mmCIF file with all atom_site columns, all heavy atoms in Angstrom:
data_model
loop_
_atom_site.group_PDB
_atom_site.id
_atom_site.type_symbol
_atom_site.label_atom_id
_atom_site.label_alt_id
_atom_site.label_comp_id
_atom_site.label_asym_id
_atom_site.label_entity_id
_atom_site.label_seq_id
_atom_site.pdbx_PDB_ins_code
_atom_site.Cartn_x
_atom_site.Cartn_y
_atom_site.Cartn_z
_atom_site.occupancy
_atom_site.B_iso_or_equiv
_atom_site.pdbx_formal_charge
_atom_site.auth_seq_id
_atom_site.auth_comp_id
_atom_site.auth_asym_id
_atom_site.auth_atom_id
_atom_site.pdbx_PDB_model_num
ATOM 1  N N   . VAL A 1 3   ? 1.587   5.414   0.052  1.00 96.00 ? 18  VAL A N   1
ATOM 2  C CA  . VAL A 1 3   ? 1.086   6.397   1.020  1.00 96.00 ? 18  VAL A CA  1
ATOM 3  C C   . VAL A 1 3   ? -0.226  7.032   0.539  1.00 96.00 ? 18  VAL A C   1
ATOM 4  O O   . VAL A 1 3   ? -1.101  7.357   1.375  1.00 96.00 ? 18  VAL A O   1
ATOM 5  C CB  . VAL A 1 3   ? 2.161   7.462   1.305  1.00 96.00 ? 18  VAL A CB  1
ATOM 6  C CG1 . VAL A 1 3   ? 2.396   8.352   0.064  1.00 96.00 ? 18  VAL A CG1 1
ATOM 7  C CG2 . VAL A 1 3   ? 1.810   8.283   2.515  1.00 96.00 ? 18  VAL A CG2 1
ATOM 8  N N   . ARG A 1 22  ? -2.090  -3.294  8.404  1.00 96.00 ? 37  ARG A N   1
ATOM 9  C CA  . ARG A 1 22  ? -2.395  -2.018  9.029  1.00 96.00 ? 37  ARG A CA  1
ATOM 10 C C   . ARG A 1 22  ? -1.123  -1.392  9.621  1.00 96.00 ? 37  ARG A C   1
ATOM 11 O O   . ARG A 1 22  ? -0.862  -0.200  9.450  1.00 96.00 ? 37  ARG A O   1
ATOM 12 C CB  . ARG A 1 22  ? -3.456  -2.217  10.135 1.00 96.00 ? 37  ARG A CB  1
ATOM 13 C CG  . ARG A 1 22  ? -4.122  -0.933  10.573 1.00 96.00 ? 37  ARG A CG  1
ATOM 14 C CD  . ARG A 1 22  ? -5.271  -1.215  11.472 1.00 96.00 ? 37  ARG A CD  1
ATOM 15 N NE  . ARG A 1 22  ? -4.824  -1.598  12.818 1.00 96.00 ? 37  ARG A NE  1
ATOM 16 C CZ  . ARG A 1 22  ? -5.643  -2.047  13.772 1.00 96.00 ? 37  ARG A CZ  1
ATOM 17 N NH1 . ARG A 1 22  ? -6.928  -2.232  13.515 1.00 96.00 ? 37  ARG A NH1 1
ATOM 18 N NH2 . ARG A 1 22  ? -5.177  -2.355  14.951 1.00 96.00 ? 37  ARG A NH2 1
ATOM 19 N N   . ALA A 1 103 ? -8.400  20.530  35.455 1.00 79.00 ? 118 ALA A N   1
ATOM 20 C CA  . ALA A 1 103 ? -7.632  20.338  36.693 1.00 79.00 ? 118 ALA A CA  1
ATOM 21 C C   . ALA A 1 103 ? -8.554  20.131  37.883 1.00 79.00 ? 118 ALA A C   1
ATOM 22 O O   . ALA A 1 103 ? -8.273  19.289  38.756 1.00 79.00 ? 118 ALA A O   1
ATOM 23 C CB  . ALA A 1 103 ? -6.717  21.543  36.915 1.00 79.00 ? 118 ALA A CB  1
ATOM 24 N N   . PRO A 1 115 ? -3.074  6.488   46.631 1.00 73.00 ? 130 PRO A N   1
ATOM 25 C CA  . PRO A 1 115 ? -2.191  5.352   46.931 1.00 73.00 ? 130 PRO A CA  1
ATOM 26 C C   . PRO A 1 115 ? -2.757  4.426   48.003 1.00 73.00 ? 130 PRO A C   1
ATOM 27 O O   . PRO A 1 115 ? -2.636  3.207   47.898 1.00 73.00 ? 130 PRO A O   1
ATOM 28 C CB  . PRO A 1 115 ? -0.897  6.036   47.416 1.00 73.00 ? 130 PRO A CB  1
ATOM 29 C CG  . PRO A 1 115 ? -0.918  7.370   46.725 1.00 73.00 ? 130 PRO A CG  1
ATOM 30 C CD  . PRO A 1 115 ? -2.366  7.799   46.671 1.00 73.00 ? 130 PRO A CD  1
ATOM 31 N N   . LEU A 1 133 ? -12.498 -16.940 37.138 1.00 98.00 ? 148 LEU A N   1
ATOM 32 C CA  . LEU A 1 133 ? -11.911 -18.207 36.641 1.00 98.00 ? 148 LEU A CA  1
ATOM 33 C C   . LEU A 1 133 ? -12.690 -19.403 37.174 1.00 98.00 ? 148 LEU A C   1
ATOM 34 O O   . LEU A 1 133 ? -12.779 -20.435 36.490 1.00 98.00 ? 148 LEU A O   1
ATOM 35 C CB  . LEU A 1 133 ? -10.452 -18.282 37.054 1.00 98.00 ? 148 LEU A CB  1
ATOM 36 C CG  . LEU A 1 133 ? -9.515  -17.289 36.364 1.00 98.00 ? 148 LEU A CG  1
ATOM 37 C CD1 . LEU A 1 133 ? -8.051  -17.612 36.672 1.00 98.00 ? 148 LEU A CD1 1
ATOM 38 C CD2 . LEU A 1 133 ? -9.734  -17.257 34.847 1.00 98.00 ? 148 LEU A CD2 1
ATOM 39 N N   . LEU A 1 178 ? -21.002 2.058   23.472 1.00 77.00 ? 193 LEU A N   1
ATOM 40 C CA  . LEU A 1 178 ? -20.361 3.355   23.396 1.00 77.00 ? 193 LEU A CA  1
ATOM 41 C C   . LEU A 1 178 ? -19.083 3.328   22.584 1.00 77.00 ? 193 LEU A C   1
ATOM 42 O O   . LEU A 1 178 ? -18.777 4.245   21.837 1.00 77.00 ? 193 LEU A O   1
ATOM 43 C CB  . LEU A 1 178 ? -20.044 3.871   24.810 1.00 77.00 ? 193 LEU A CB  1
ATOM 44 C CG  . LEU A 1 178 ? -21.221 4.252   25.702 1.00 77.00 ? 193 LEU A CG  1
ATOM 45 C CD1 . LEU A 1 178 ? -20.745 4.773   27.051 1.00 77.00 ? 193 LEU A CD1 1
ATOM 46 C CD2 . LEU A 1 178 ? -22.108 5.290   25.022 1.00 77.00 ? 193 LEU A CD2 1
ATOM 47 N N   . PRO A 1 287 ? 6.289   -6.489  36.145 1.00 97.00 ? 302 PRO A N   1
ATOM 48 C CA  . PRO A 1 287 ? 6.161   -5.061  35.757 1.00 97.00 ? 302 PRO A CA  1
ATOM 49 C C   . PRO A 1 287 ? 6.523   -4.791  34.308 1.00 97.00 ? 302 PRO A C   1
ATOM 50 O O   . PRO A 1 287 ? 5.785   -4.103  33.602 1.00 97.00 ? 302 PRO A O   1
ATOM 51 C CB  . PRO A 1 287 ? 7.133   -4.374  36.740 1.00 97.00 ? 302 PRO A CB  1
ATOM 52 C CG  . PRO A 1 287 ? 7.181   -5.270  37.940 1.00 97.00 ? 302 PRO A CG  1
ATOM 53 C CD  . PRO A 1 287 ? 7.121   -6.662  37.354 1.00 97.00 ? 302 PRO A CD  1
ATOM 54 N N   . ILE A 1 388 ? -3.780  -22.753 28.987 1.00 98.00 ? 403 ILE A N   1
ATOM 55 C CA  . ILE A 1 388 ? -4.837  -22.094 28.231 1.00 98.00 ? 403 ILE A CA  1
ATOM 56 C C   . ILE A 1 388 ? -4.258  -21.501 26.950 1.00 98.00 ? 403 ILE A C   1
ATOM 57 O O   . ILE A 1 388 ? -3.172  -20.916 26.938 1.00 98.00 ? 403 ILE A O   1
ATOM 58 C CB  . ILE A 1 388 ? -5.525  -21.012 29.082 1.00 98.00 ? 403 ILE A CB  1
ATOM 59 C CG1 . ILE A 1 388 ? -6.736  -20.426 28.331 1.00 98.00 ? 403 ILE A CG1 1
ATOM 60 C CG2 . ILE A 1 388 ? -4.553  -19.905 29.491 1.00 98.00 ? 403 ILE A CG2 1
ATOM 61 C CD1 . ILE A 1 388 ? -7.608  -19.525 29.202 1.00 98.00 ? 403 ILE A CD1 1
#
Side-chain angles (χ1 to χ4, degrees):
V18 69
R37 197 171 75 189
L148 293 189
L193 292 182
I403 187 170

